[in-house]
Amino acid sequence: MRPSNSVWQGNFGYWQNSFIHNNLLVIGYTGWKGFQSFGRGVVICDVDTKVTHPTNTSLDTVPFTLQFLPSDLIGFYLRSFQDCGAISQSICSSMISSISPAVAT
């Protein structure tokens, strides 16, 4: 019997929470160095492989790249995904309108 998910235990089988937990220092360092250089912004984490099965991120190697995106480039970055068809226009517009004010405050 599978135990139920809870706020404290996380979502079982959802690899992103474990991935962030295991790489928090490098993600935080990227954010801090970016903030010191450019001010407010976001950290973009691009996972190089598609995880289609349950992954134990503490044991399995999951290659990824990190970059800091200053707040004035967030809209441009999201629009570039919209232009190449990676995300739909309505999703991109809602992301830009919700992420930009969050980063500003």
Side-chain angles (χ1 to χ4, degrees):
M1 181 172 166
R2 185 175 180 179
S4 62
N5 293 340
S6 75
V7 174
W8 297 106
Q9 295 171 330
N11 296 319
F12 299 101
Y14 188 69
W15 65 270
Q16 287 91 342
N17 291 338
S18 178
F19 175 82
I20 292 169
H21 176 78
N22 291 327
N23 296 292
L24 187 60
L25 286 177
V26 71
I27 294 169
Y29 178 79
T30 301
W32 178 245
K33 293 305 284 183
F35 176 77
Q36 287 181 322
S37 299
F38 303 105
R40 293 182 183 266
V42 296
V43 175
I44 305 294
C45 181
D46 183 25
V47 178
D48 293 335
T49 58
K50 293 182 180 181
V51 180
T52 57
H53 59 282
T55 300
N56 184 351
T57 57
S58 61
L59 299 176
D60 297 334
T61 302
V62 180
F64 64 97
T65 57
L66 289 174
Q67 67 178 355
F68 181 84
L69 192 62
S71 60
D72 56 344
L73 297 178
I74 294 171
F76 176 76
Y77 179 81
L78 293 175
R79 279 195 233 31
S80 70
F81 278 110
Q82 177 185 354
D83 293 341
C84 72
I87 55 177
S88 71
Q89 183 173 357
S90 62
I91 294 173
C92 186
S93 299
S94 67
M95 282 193 298
I96 293 170
S97 64
S98 64
I99 291 174
S100 297
V103 172
T105 59

